[in-house]
Amino acid sequence: KIFERSVQGLRILNQHGYGEGIGLHLDLVFNPPGPFLPPQQCKLQKQYKKELGDAYGIKFDRLVTICNMPITRYFDFLQKKGALEGYMDLLVRNFNEQTVPELMCTNTVNVGWDG
């Protein structure tokens, strides 16, 4: 049901010009569902554009991949699973200094599920 509602919401945004390349940007976010890194952003964006476009007629400007920061609930989850140390090591080994200027918390507005 969540997926169907998300598709409906994206279609409404497209109907209002978002994601159509006319200045109303629509970016999607991919958040890995576990203690691992996301796939390469440009390849995943191509796949998402094709799949969402072909199957649902959805257009968007950019797909952003993120990594979960191990704080609060996610920290507790990783600790309970015994995966905190391994995940922290993975993040440290894959740190990319070039991504710092685009950190989400410095220039992005996030809208929660409840608006």
Side-chain angles (χ1 to χ4, degrees):
K1 187 166 186 161
I2 292 172
F3 180 76
E4 289 83 7
R5 290 179 66 194
S6 297
V7 167
Q8 181 183 15
L10 290 169
R11 285 180 173 156
I12 291 169
L13 289 169
N14 282 167
Q15 289 169 359
H16 289 283
Y18 288 89
E20 300 285 339
I22 58 171
L24 298 173
H25 296 281
L26 178 59
D27 296 337
L28 303 183
V29 177
F30 177 86
N31 185 9
F36 44 86
L37 299 176
Q40 190 178 56
Q41 186 166 308
C42 64
K43 288 182 181 179
L44 194 61
Q45 178 175 293
K46 250 186 211 177
Q47 183 180 357
Y48 267 57
K49 282 189 177 241
K50 178 169 177 27
E51 296 291 328
L52 290 174
D54 291 352
Y56 303 100
I58 292 172
K59 297 177 186 174
F60 63 92
D61 296 296
R62 183 175 67 146
L63 177 75
V64 177
T65 58
I66 63 171
C67 295
N68 289 309
M69 289 301 298
I71 55 176
T72 59
R73 289 182 305 171
Y74 197 56
F75 178 93
D76 293 340
F77 168 78
L78 291 170
Q79 199 166 39
K80 287 177 188 171
K81 295 285 185 184
L84 179 60
E85 188 175 327
Y87 186 64
M88 289 298 294
D89 181 61
L90 179 70
L91 293 177
V92 168
R93 284 185 290 111
N94 288 278
F95 176 72
N96 180 351
E97 188 176 315
Q98 294 175 344
T99 65
V100 173
E102 294 296 320
L103 283 178
M104 189 168 77
C105 59
T106 62
N107 62 10
T108 303
V109 174
N110 296 297
V111 179
W113 65 270
D114 57 354

